[in-house]
Amino acid sequence: MSSTTVKKGVGLYLDVVAVVLAVVGVIAAVVSTTMGEGYEFSGLAMCICLAVVAIALVAVAAYTDLKRAEKGEGAGIVSMIALGVAIFLMVFCGVQVVASRALAISGLFSWNSMDTTGWQMFYAAATSAGGFVLGAVLLTVGCFLPTAKQA
């Protein structure tokens, strides 16, 4: 154990909230694709894999920042690159959810407005895309805030 005590900073807490939002996005995407026939999300496996990679990259960035803070060093290039790639992957997943649901959602607003399963799929897809994009925004804000503070 190191002789210095490291307090967790606001950036770390934003990273944790972003990871939770990514998990919510994955769960909502799975729920959205299992609502009924005709609502399959063809890129679900890729979306889940990319979200897992993004979550792992956020964990790597937080771990390296905390270890560097214990040594009294500033932010490292590894954590910056990991967070940049994680932000890209989370936004990409959110855009993929919207792109895969655009045609089904447009049908709800035109000729099929009484389809309750379609509206539930819309709400799940909006939750999924919102979780991914809001998580990416929080990661972006967290990049500018300290992950750890020296005691």
Side-chain angles (χ1 to χ4, degrees):
M1 191 78 192
S2 178
S3 63
T4 60
T5 309
V6 176
K7 291 184 180 180
K8 286 141 184 81
V10 178
L12 181 68
Y13 295 118
L14 288 178
D15 290 351
V16 169
V17 172
V19 166
V20 169
L21 286 171
V23 170
V24 167
V26 169
I27 292 170
V30 170
V31 168
S32 171
T33 196
T34 59
M35 291 212 162
E37 292 182 29
Y39 295 114
E40 292 85 14
F41 177 23
S42 61
L44 181 66
M46 180 186 67
C47 183
I48 291 173
C49 290
L50 293 178
V52 168
V53 169
I55 290 169
L57 287 172
V58 171
V60 165
Y63 178 76
T64 56
D65 276 347
L66 289 175
K67 286 299 176 186
R68 289 181 64 86
E70 281 181 3
K71 295 178 184 175
E73 300 173 1
I77 189 76
V78 172
S79 64
M80 287 191 289
I81 291 173
L83 281 176
V85 172
I87 290 167
F88 172 78
L89 292 177
M90 288 177 70
V91 170
F92 182 77
C93 287
V95 169
Q96 286 300 106
V97 169
V98 170
S100 70
R101 300 295 184 210
L103 192 57
I105 291 170
S106 68
L108 290 174
F109 290 108
S110 58
W111 57 273
N112 199 13
S113 65
M114 300 307 285
D115 182 11
T116 57
T117 304
W119 281 106
Q120 291 171 354
M121 181 272 311
F122 168 74
Y123 296 137
T127 301
S128 177
F132 285 128
V133 172
L134 185 58
V137 169
L138 288 178
L139 282 178
T140 304
V141 171
C143 287
F144 296 103
L145 298 171
T147 303
K149 301 181 271 186
Q150 289 288 8

PDB file of all heavy atoms in Angstrom, residues 122-150:
ATOM      1  N   PHE A 122     -40.357   1.674 -29.106  1.00  0.00           N
ATOM      2  CA  PHE A 122     -39.850   3.033 -29.254  1.00  0.00           C
ATOM      3  C   PHE A 122     -39.285   3.547 -27.937  1.00  0.00           C
ATOM      4  O   PHE A 122     -38.193   4.116 -27.892  1.00  0.00           O
ATOM      5  CB  PHE A 122     -40.962   3.954 -29.749  1.00  0.00           C
ATOM      6  CG  PHE A 122     -40.632   5.411 -29.666  1.00  0.00           C
ATOM      7  CD1 PHE A 122     -39.738   5.982 -30.553  1.00  0.00           C
ATOM      8  CD2 PHE A 122     -41.199   6.214 -28.686  1.00  0.00           C
ATOM      9  CE1 PHE A 122     -39.420   7.329 -30.482  1.00  0.00           C
ATOM     10  CE2 PHE A 122     -40.890   7.559 -28.605  1.00  0.00           C
ATOM     11  CZ  PHE A 122     -40.008   8.114 -29.499  1.00  0.00           C
ATOM     12  N   TYR A 123     -40.011   3.348 -26.853  1.00  0.00           N
ATOM     13  CA  TYR A 123     -39.541   3.812 -25.546  1.00  0.00           C
ATOM     14  C   TYR A 123     -38.263   3.081 -25.128  1.00  0.00           C
ATOM     15  O   TYR A 123     -37.344   3.687 -24.572  1.00  0.00           O
ATOM     16  CB  TYR A 123     -40.618   3.635 -24.482  1.00  0.00           C
ATOM     17  CG  TYR A 123     -41.854   4.468 -24.731  1.00  0.00           C
ATOM     18  CD1 TYR A 123     -43.122   3.938 -24.544  1.00  0.00           C
ATOM     19  CD2 TYR A 123     -41.758   5.781 -25.173  1.00  0.00           C
ATOM     20  CE1 TYR A 123     -44.251   4.698 -24.778  1.00  0.00           C
ATOM     21  CE2 TYR A 123     -42.879   6.550 -25.419  1.00  0.00           C
ATOM     22  CZ  TYR A 123     -44.130   6.000 -25.209  1.00  0.00           C
ATOM     23  OH  TYR A 123     -45.245   6.754 -25.449  1.00  0.00           O
ATOM     24  N   ALA A 124     -38.201   1.779 -25.398  1.00  0.00           N
ATOM     25  CA  ALA A 124     -36.989   1.024 -25.057  1.00  0.00           C
ATOM     26  C   ALA A 124     -35.805   1.469 -25.919  1.00  0.00           C
ATOM     27  O   ALA A 124     -34.686   1.607 -25.418  1.00  0.00           O
ATOM     28  CB  ALA A 124     -37.243  -0.472 -25.225  1.00  0.00           C
ATOM     29  N   ALA A 125     -36.051   1.709 -27.198  1.00  0.00           N
ATOM     30  CA  ALA A 125     -34.971   2.170 -28.086  1.00  0.00           C
ATOM     31  C   ALA A 125     -34.515   3.569 -27.693  1.00  0.00           C
ATOM     32  O   ALA A 125     -33.312   3.863 -27.716  1.00  0.00           O
ATOM     33  CB  ALA A 125     -35.436   2.142 -29.541  1.00  0.00           C
ATOM     34  N   ALA A 126     -35.448   4.439 -27.321  1.00  0.00           N
ATOM     35  CA  ALA A 126     -35.075   5.787 -26.888  1.00  0.00           C
ATOM     36  C   ALA A 126     -34.276   5.733 -25.589  1.00  0.00           C
ATOM     37  O   ALA A 126     -33.306   6.483 -25.409  1.00  0.00           O
ATOM     38  CB  ALA A 126     -36.321   6.643 -26.713  1.00  0.00           C
ATOM     39  N   THR A 127     -34.657   4.841 -24.688  1.00  0.00           N
ATOM     40  CA  THR A 127     -33.907   4.667 -23.445  1.00  0.00           C
ATOM     41  C   THR A 127     -32.504   4.155 -23.733  1.00  0.00           C
ATOM     42  O   THR A 127     -31.525   4.620 -23.146  1.00  0.00           O
ATOM     43  CB  THR A 127     -34.642   3.685 -22.505  1.00  0.00           C
ATOM     44  OG1 THR A 127     -35.942   4.206 -22.241  1.00  0.00           O
ATOM     45  CG2 THR A 127     -33.888   3.488 -21.216  1.00  0.00           C
ATOM     46  N   SER A 128     -32.395   3.211 -24.654  1.00  0.00           N
ATOM     47  CA  SER A 128     -31.093   2.657 -25.006  1.00  0.00           C
ATOM     48  C   SER A 128     -30.190   3.715 -25.626  1.00  0.00           C
ATOM     49  O   SER A 128     -29.049   3.914 -25.188  1.00  0.00           O
ATOM     50  CB  SER A 128     -31.276   1.490 -25.975  1.00  0.00           C
ATOM     51  OG  SER A 128     -30.031   0.994 -26.386  1.00  0.00           O
ATOM     52  N   ALA A 129     -30.686   4.401 -26.643  1.00  0.00           N
ATOM     53  CA  ALA A 129     -29.873   5.429 -27.302  1.00  0.00           C
ATOM     54  C   ALA A 129     -29.543   6.559 -26.337  1.00  0.00           C
ATOM     55  O   ALA A 129     -28.415   7.056 -26.309  1.00  0.00           O
ATOM     56  CB  ALA A 129     -30.606   5.961 -28.526  1.00  0.00           C
ATOM     57  N   GLY A 130     -30.512   6.943 -25.530  1.00  0.00           N
ATOM     58  CA  GLY A 130     -30.276   8.000 -24.553  1.00  0.00           C
ATOM     59  C   GLY A 130     -29.243   7.607 -23.515  1.00  0.00           C
ATOM     60  O   GLY A 130     -28.405   8.423 -23.117  1.00  0.00           O
ATOM     61  N   GLY A 131     -29.292   6.362 -23.077  1.00  0.00           N
ATOM     62  CA  GLY A 131     -28.295   5.883 -22.113  1.00  0.00           C
ATOM     63  C   GLY A 131     -26.889   5.925 -22.673  1.00  0.00           C
ATOM     64  O   GLY A 131     -25.955   6.381 -22.004  1.00  0.00           O
ATOM     65  N   PHE A 132     -26.741   5.475 -23.914  1.00  0.00           N
ATOM     66  CA  PHE A 132     -25.418   5.490 -24.539  1.00  0.00           C
ATOM     67  C   PHE A 132     -24.908   6.913 -24.752  1.00  0.00           C
ATOM     68  O   PHE A 132     -23.763   7.234 -24.421  1.00  0.00           O
ATOM     69  CB  PHE A 132     -25.444   4.754 -25.879  1.00  0.00           C
ATOM     70  CG  PHE A 132     -25.488   3.260 -25.756  1.00  0.00           C
ATOM     71  CD1 PHE A 132     -26.452   2.525 -26.424  1.00  0.00           C
ATOM     72  CD2 PHE A 132     -24.577   2.581 -24.983  1.00  0.00           C
ATOM     73  CE1 PHE A 132     -26.496   1.153 -26.326  1.00  0.00           C
ATOM     74  CE2 PHE A 132     -24.607   1.206 -24.869  1.00  0.00           C
ATOM     75  CZ  PHE A 132     -25.578   0.485 -25.544  1.00  0.00           C
ATOM     76  N   VAL A 133     -25.749   7.771 -25.296  1.00  0.00           N
ATOM     77  CA  VAL A 133     -25.302   9.124 -25.615  1.00  0.00           C
ATOM     78  C   VAL A 133     -25.080   9.945 -24.345  1.00  0.00           C
ATOM     79  O   VAL A 133     -24.086  10.666 -24.232  1.00  0.00           O
ATOM     80  CB  VAL A 133     -26.301   9.807 -26.578  1.00  0.00           C
ATOM     81  CG1 VAL A 133     -25.965  11.263 -26.776  1.00  0.00           C
ATOM     82  CG2 VAL A 133     -26.310   9.077 -27.918  1.00  0.00           C
ATOM     83  N   LEU A 134     -25.980   9.827 -23.367  1.00  0.00           N
ATOM     84  CA  LEU A 134     -25.790  10.552 -22.116  1.00  0.00           C
ATOM     85  C   LEU A 134     -24.546  10.047 -21.378  1.00  0.00           C
ATOM     86  O   LEU A 134     -23.804  10.835 -20.786  1.00  0.00           O
ATOM     87  CB  LEU A 134     -27.024  10.433 -21.229  1.00  0.00           C
ATOM     88  CG  LEU A 134     -27.014  11.246 -19.949  1.00  0.00           C
ATOM     89  CD1 LEU A 134     -26.846  12.723 -20.253  1.00  0.00           C
ATOM     90  CD2 LEU A 134     -28.276  10.991 -19.162  1.00  0.00           C
ATOM     91  N   GLY A 135     -24.299   8.740 -21.448  1.00  0.00           N
ATOM     92  CA  GLY A 135     -23.064   8.195 -20.866  1.00  0.00           C
ATOM     93  C   GLY A 135     -21.827   8.766 -21.534  1.00  0.00           C
ATOM     94  O   GLY A 135     -20.843   9.098 -20.870  1.00  0.00           O
ATOM     95  N   ALA A 136     -21.878   8.926 -22.849  1.00  0.00           N
ATOM     96  CA  ALA A 136     -20.740   9.514 -23.572  1.00  0.00           C
ATOM     97  C   ALA A 136     -20.548  10.975 -23.191  1.00  0.00           C
ATOM     98  O   ALA A 136     -19.410  11.437 -23.047  1.00  0.00           O
ATOM     99  CB  ALA A 136     -20.954   9.370 -25.077  1.00  0.00           C
ATOM    100  N   VAL A 137     -21.641  11.694 -23.003  1.00  0.00           N
ATOM    101  CA  VAL A 137     -21.538  13.095 -22.580  1.00  0.00           C
ATOM    102  C   VAL A 137     -20.917  13.181 -21.183  1.00  0.00           C
ATOM    103  O   VAL A 137     -20.042  14.014 -20.930  1.00  0.00           O
ATOM    104  CB  VAL A 137     -22.918  13.778 -22.627  1.00  0.00           C
ATOM    105  CG1 VAL A 137     -22.898  15.130 -21.940  1.00  0.00           C
ATOM    106  CG2 VAL A 137     -23.389  13.926 -24.064  1.00  0.00           C
ATOM    107  N   LEU A 138     -21.349  12.315 -20.285  1.00  0.00           N
ATOM    108  CA  LEU A 138     -20.767  12.316 -18.936  1.00  0.00           C
ATOM    109  C   LEU A 138     -19.289  11.946 -18.958  1.00  0.00           C
ATOM    110  O   LEU A 138     -18.496  12.496 -18.194  1.00  0.00           O
ATOM    111  CB  LEU A 138     -21.540  11.382 -18.015  1.00  0.00           C
ATOM    112  CG  LEU A 138     -22.927  11.858 -17.599  1.00  0.00           C
ATOM    113  CD1 LEU A 138     -23.607  10.812 -16.725  1.00  0.00           C
ATOM    114  CD2 LEU A 138     -22.851  13.185 -16.888  1.00  0.00           C
ATOM    115  N   LEU A 139     -18.907  11.016 -19.817  1.00  0.00           N
ATOM    116  CA  LEU A 139     -17.491  10.682 -19.951  1.00  0.00           C
ATOM    117  C   LEU A 139     -16.699  11.871 -20.473  1.00  0.00           C
ATOM    118  O   LEU A 139     -15.576  12.123 -20.028  1.00  0.00           O
ATOM    119  CB  LEU A 139     -17.294   9.491 -20.892  1.00  0.00           C
ATOM    120  CG  LEU A 139     -17.580   8.112 -20.330  1.00  0.00           C
ATOM    121  CD1 LEU A 139     -17.383   7.060 -21.416  1.00  0.00           C
ATOM    122  CD2 LEU A 139     -16.710   7.811 -19.145  1.00  0.00           C
ATOM    123  N   THR A 140     -17.279  12.606 -21.403  1.00  0.00           N
ATOM    124  CA  THR A 140     -16.605  13.785 -21.939  1.00  0.00           C
ATOM    125  C   THR A 140     -16.414  14.836 -20.865  1.00  0.00           C
ATOM    126  O   THR A 140     -15.331  15.409 -20.732  1.00  0.00           O
ATOM    127  CB  THR A 140     -17.408  14.367 -23.121  1.00  0.00           C
ATOM    128  OG1 THR A 140     -17.592  13.348 -24.102  1.00  0.00           O
ATOM    129  CG2 THR A 140     -16.692  15.547 -23.738  1.00  0.00           C
ATOM    130  N   VAL A 141     -17.450  15.078 -20.087  1.00  0.00           N
ATOM    131  CA  VAL A 141     -17.334  16.043 -18.989  1.00  0.00           C
ATOM    132  C   VAL A 141     -16.340  15.529 -17.950  1.00  0.00           C
ATOM    133  O   VAL A 141     -15.518  16.289 -17.433  1.00  0.00           O
ATOM    134  CB  VAL A 141     -18.716  16.310 -18.364  1.00  0.00           C
ATOM    135  CG1 VAL A 141     -18.582  17.128 -17.089  1.00  0.00           C
ATOM    136  CG2 VAL A 141     -19.627  16.998 -19.347  1.00  0.00           C
ATOM    137  N   GLY A 142     -16.388  14.236 -17.661  1.00  0.00           N
ATOM    138  CA  GLY A 142     -15.476  13.644 -16.682  1.00  0.00           C
ATOM    139  C   GLY A 142     -14.026  13.699 -17.102  1.00  0.00           C
ATOM    140  O   GLY A 142     -13.123  13.660 -16.243  1.00  0.00           O
ATOM    141  N   CYS A 143     -13.766  13.794 -18.397  1.00  0.00           N
ATOM    142  CA  CYS A 143     -12.375  13.916 -18.868  1.00  0.00           C
ATOM    143  C   CYS A 143     -11.723  15.192 -18.388  1.00  0.00           C
ATOM    144  O   CYS A 143     -10.502  15.274 -18.239  1.00  0.00           O
ATOM    145  CB  CYS A 143     -12.333  13.872 -20.387  1.00  0.00           C
ATOM    146  SG  CYS A 143     -12.633  12.268 -21.097  1.00  0.00           S
ATOM    147  N   PHE A 144     -12.521  16.225 -18.167  1.00  0.00           N
ATOM    148  CA  PHE A 144     -11.981  17.521 -17.763  1.00  0.00           C
ATOM    149  C   PHE A 144     -11.952  17.699 -16.249  1.00  0.00           C
ATOM    150  O   PHE A 144     -11.520  18.729 -15.766  1.00  0.00           O
ATOM    151  CB  PHE A 144     -12.803  18.646 -18.403  1.00  0.00           C
ATOM    152  CG  PHE A 144     -12.716  18.646 -19.888  1.00  0.00           C
ATOM    153  CD1 PHE A 144     -13.738  18.159 -20.663  1.00  0.00           C
ATOM    154  CD2 PHE A 144     -11.580  19.137 -20.516  1.00  0.00           C
ATOM    155  CE1 PHE A 144     -13.652  18.148 -22.055  1.00  0.00           C
ATOM    156  CE2 PHE A 144     -11.470  19.147 -21.894  1.00  0.00           C
ATOM    157  CZ  PHE A 144     -12.524  18.647 -22.660  1.00  0.00           C
ATOM    158  N   LEU A 145     -12.413  16.700 -15.523  1.00  0.00           N
ATOM    159  CA  LEU A 145     -12.436  16.778 -14.066  1.00  0.00           C
ATOM    160  C   LEU A 145     -11.471  15.759 -13.479  1.00  0.00           C
ATOM    161  O   LEU A 145     -11.205  14.728 -14.090  1.00  0.00           O
ATOM    162  CB  LEU A 145     -13.859  16.519 -13.557  1.00  0.00           C
ATOM    163  CG  LEU A 145     -14.901  17.525 -14.028  1.00  0.00           C
ATOM    164  CD1 LEU A 145     -16.289  17.069 -13.653  1.00  0.00           C
ATOM    165  CD2 LEU A 145     -14.615  18.896 -13.462  1.00  0.00           C
ATOM    166  N   PRO A 146     -10.946  16.016 -12.296  1.00  0.00           N
ATOM    167  CA  PRO A 146      -9.977  15.086 -11.724  1.00  0.00           C
ATOM    168  C   PRO A 146     -10.616  13.761 -11.310  1.00  0.00           C
ATOM    169  O   PRO A 146     -11.706  13.739 -10.745  1.00  0.00           O
ATOM    170  CB  PRO A 146      -9.438  15.837 -10.499  1.00  0.00           C
ATOM    171  CG  PRO A 146     -10.511  16.796 -10.146  1.00  0.00           C
ATOM    172  CD  PRO A 146     -11.181  17.175 -11.418  1.00  0.00           C
ATOM    173  N   THR A 147      -9.909  12.678 -11.597  1.00  0.00           N
ATOM    174  CA  THR A 147     -10.365  11.354 -11.175  1.00  0.00           C
ATOM    175  C   THR A 147      -9.977  11.104  -9.722  1.00  0.00           C
ATOM    176  O   THR A 147     -10.685  10.405  -9.017  1.00  0.00           O
ATOM    177  CB  THR A 147      -9.752  10.275 -12.082  1.00  0.00           C
ATOM    178  OG1 THR A 147     -10.113  10.575 -13.425  1.00  0.00           O
ATOM    179  CG2 THR A 147     -10.243   8.904 -11.726  1.00  0.00           C
ATOM    180  N   ALA A 148      -8.871  11.661  -9.320  1.00  0.00           N
ATOM    181  CA  ALA A 148      -8.396  11.479  -7.952  1.00  0.00           C
ATOM    182  C   ALA A 148      -7.790  12.783  -7.451  1.00  0.00           C
ATOM    183  O   ALA A 148      -7.254  13.568  -8.222  1.00  0.00           O
ATOM    184  CB  ALA A 148      -7.368  10.368  -7.888  1.00  0.00           C
ATOM    185  N   LYS A 149      -7.902  12.979  -6.140  1.00  0.00           N
ATOM    186  CA  LYS A 149      -7.324  14.162  -5.511  1.00  0.00           C
ATOM    187  C   LYS A 149      -6.329  13.688  -4.448  1.00  0.00           C
ATOM    188  O   LYS A 149      -6.563  12.684  -3.780  1.00  0.00           O
ATOM    189  CB  LYS A 149      -8.398  15.001  -4.817  1.00  0.00           C
ATOM    190  CG  LYS A 149      -9.488  15.476  -5.740  1.00  0.00           C
ATOM    191  CD  LYS A 149     -10.486  16.311  -4.988  1.00  0.00           C
ATOM    192  CE  LYS A 149     -11.564  15.416  -4.417  1.00  0.00           C
ATOM    193  NZ  LYS A 149     -12.663  16.129  -3.790  1.00  0.00           N
ATOM    194  N   GLN A 150      -5.256  14.400  -4.312  1.00  0.00           N
ATOM    195  CA  GLN A 150      -4.299  14.082  -3.247  1.00  0.00           C
ATOM    196  C   GLN A 150      -4.848  14.577  -1.912  1.00  0.00           C
ATOM    197  O   GLN A 150      -5.437  15.648  -1.837  1.00  0.00           O
ATOM    198  CB  GLN A 150      -2.948  14.756  -3.507  1.00  0.00           C
ATOM    199  CG  GLN A 150      -2.194  14.164  -4.633  1.00  0.00           C
ATOM    200  CD  GLN A 150      -1.620  12.785  -4.312  1.00  0.00           C
ATOM    201  OE1 GLN A 150      -1.908  12.189  -3.287  1.00  0.00           O
ATOM    202  NE2 GLN A 150      -0.823  12.280  -5.217  1.00  0.00           N
TER     203      GLN A 150
END
